């Protein structure tokens, strides 16, 4: 996060920088882990799920939260291809009807609030980096829930509904295999 903050050093005030550094990652991770456990308990994977997609969407400002922020959700797909530029993610439907599909992640709202005065690109970059870190920490929990008798590995991706989809790596019984996160993933262009 420090390197990402530094890449915005001319736009971020010291107060915003301090606030971003002060976001409680462990509390957020604990919250996301509880959400994931509840999701799996209420809505087990579809038998034909072969890939996991952590999606990100922009929540529009409203009366309760007067700024745009990025929020996270999880879904699975019965299709996957590294070569179709994420079109396979359109086949995600496992959690579509679940009450647990969308976790309320206050840290993502806080990032949106802090970055709202800077730019959408700033919000997107910080939200995406923060979400990737959460997902990577969640890997051991996710692995325990997958059926490796059915599939030897499961691609795990992160992407914005209106943008690029990134392959974080492949989930195997041993964890995350062949991490695919390019260094530039965490930096604005």
């Amino acid at each position: 996060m420090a390197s990402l903050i530094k890449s915005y050093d001319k736009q971020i005030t010291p107060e915003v920088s301090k606030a971003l550094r002060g976001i409680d990652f462990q509390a957020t991770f604990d919250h996301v882990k509880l959400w994931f456990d509840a999701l799996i308990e209420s809505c087990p994977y579809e038998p034909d799920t072969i890939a996991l997609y952590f999606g990100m969407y922009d929540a529009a400002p409203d009366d309760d939260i007067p700024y745009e922020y990025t929020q996270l959700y999880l879904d699975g797909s019965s299709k996957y291809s590294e070569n179709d530029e994420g079109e396979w993610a359109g086949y995600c439907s496992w959690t579509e009807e679940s009450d647990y599909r969308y976790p309320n992640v206050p840290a993502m709202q806080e990032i949106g609030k802090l970055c709202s005065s800077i730019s959408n690109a700033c919000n997107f970059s910080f939200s995406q980096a923060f979400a990737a870190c959460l997902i990577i920490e969640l890997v051991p929990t996710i692995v325990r829930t997958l059926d490796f008798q059915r599939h030897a590995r499961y691609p795990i991706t992160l992407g914005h509904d209106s943008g690029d989809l990134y392959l974080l790596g492949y989930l195997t019984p041993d964890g995350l295999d062949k991490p695919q996160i390019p260094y530039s993933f965490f930096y604005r262009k």
Side-chain angles (χ1 to χ4, degrees), residues 120-181:
N120 282 340
C122 179
N123 181 26
F124 178 77
S125 295
F126 279 97
S127 297
Q128 186 165 279
F130 194 79
C133 292
L134 286 171
I135 294 163
I136 290 167
E137 287 296 313
L138 196 59
V139 163
T141 301
I142 297 170
V143 164
R144 286 192 293 272
T145 66
L146 294 169
D147 181 359
F148 290 102
Q149 300 297 320
R150 187 179 302 271
H151 304 288
R153 65 184 195 163
Y154 292 81
I156 186 168
T157 62
L158 171 64
H160 199 280
D161 285 354
S162 63
D164 294 330
L165 187 64
Y166 296 93
L167 175 64
L168 299 178
Y170 294 91
L171 297 171
T172 70
D174 297 323
L176 188 62
D177 185 32
K178 298 181 183 175
Q180 301 291 317
I181 306 171

Side-chain angles (χ1 to χ4, degrees), residues 1-167:
M1 241 0 200
S3 295
L4 183 58
I5 291 169
K6 188 174 180 175
S7 76
Y8 279 93
D9 67 348
K10 295 197 185 329
Q11 295 173 299
I12 295 178
T13 66
E15 295 80 20
V16 170
S17 175
K18 182 178 179 181
L20 285 168
R21 292 172 197 272
I23 291 174
D24 189 340
F25 182 83
Q26 186 61 49
T28 303
F29 171 75
D30 293 343
H31 176 81
V32 169
K33 185 178 179 309
L34 289 173
W35 157 77
F36 178 80
D37 291 341
L39 174 67
I40 295 300
E41 184 176 318
S42 72
C43 186
Y45 297 106
E46 296 287 331
D48 62 350
T49 297
I50 64 167
L52 298 181
Y53 170 58
F54 278 89
M56 298 175 68
Y57 67 96
D58 294 328
D62 61 24
D63 291 339
D64 295 328
I65 302 175
Y67 48 85
E68 188 175 286
Y69 64 95
T70 303
Q71 199 54 274
L72 192 63
Y73 67 93
L74 172 62
D75 215 326
S77 180
S78 61
K79 299 183 184 300
Y80 177 76
S81 172
E82 284 185 27
N83 303 319
D84 74 358
E85 299 181 0
E87 294 301 315
W88 64 269
Y91 294 93
C92 290
S93 62
W94 155 54
T95 65
E96 198 168 58
E97 301 299 320
S98 173
D99 291 338
Y100 292 99
R101 183 177 201 199
Y102 301 102
N104 177 14
V105 184
M108 302 288 275
Q109 295 171 4
E110 184 65 17
I111 290 169
K113 179 180 179 182
L114 292 167
C115 295
S116 65
S117 65
I118 301 165
S119 69
N120 282 340
C122 179
N123 181 26
F124 178 77
S125 295
F126 279 97
S127 297
Q128 186 165 279
F130 194 79
C133 292
L134 286 171
I135 294 163
I136 290 167
E137 287 296 313
L138 196 59
V139 163
T141 301
I142 297 170
V143 164
R144 286 192 293 272
T145 66
L146 294 169
D147 181 359
F148 290 102
Q149 300 297 320
R150 187 179 302 271
H151 304 288
R153 65 184 195 163
Y154 292 81
I156 186 168
T157 62
L158 171 64
H160 199 280
D161 285 354
S162 63
D164 294 330
L165 187 64
Y166 296 93
L167 175 64

